[in-house]
Amino acid sequence: MESIEVAMVDGAPVSLTRDGRTWHVGAEPVRWYERQPWCSTAARASKGGSLRIDVEV
C-alpha cells in the first residue's frame, strides 16, 4: 500500500507528496459536472418535480 501526503491550507490542497516527490497545486480546485443522458435513464421526474441531469463528478 502506498502513501500520499496532502498538505492543506484553509481546507484546500496546496501540495501532494508521494515517494519523496512533491507536486504543488497550481490552480484552485473546481467542481466538475457531467450531463447524464436523460433519455436513456430509468429515472423519471415526479409530477410537479424535476429531474437532475447534471451530476457532480
Side-chain angles (χ1 to χ4, degrees), residues 36-46 48-55:
Q36 291 182 333
W38 60 270
C39 57
S40 64
T41 62
R44 299 282 183 235
S46 60
S50 63
L51 177 64
R52 186 175 180 170
I53 59 172
D54 290 331
V55 293

Side-chain angles (χ1 to χ4, degrees), residues 7-57:
M8 309 279 283
V9 172
D10 295 330
V14 292
S15 68
L16 308 164
T17 303
R18 177 181 167 235
D19 292 333
R21 294 185 63 190
T22 300
W23 289 272
H24 297 283
V25 177
E28 188 168 327
V30 295
R31 294 180 182 260
W32 287 85
Y33 291 88
E34 182 176 277
R35 181 144 298 187
Q36 291 182 333
W38 60 270
C39 57
S40 64
T41 62
R44 299 282 183 235
S46 60
K47 184 175 182 179
S50 63
L51 177 64
R52 186 175 180 170
I53 59 172
D54 290 331
V55 293
E56 187 173 353
V57 179

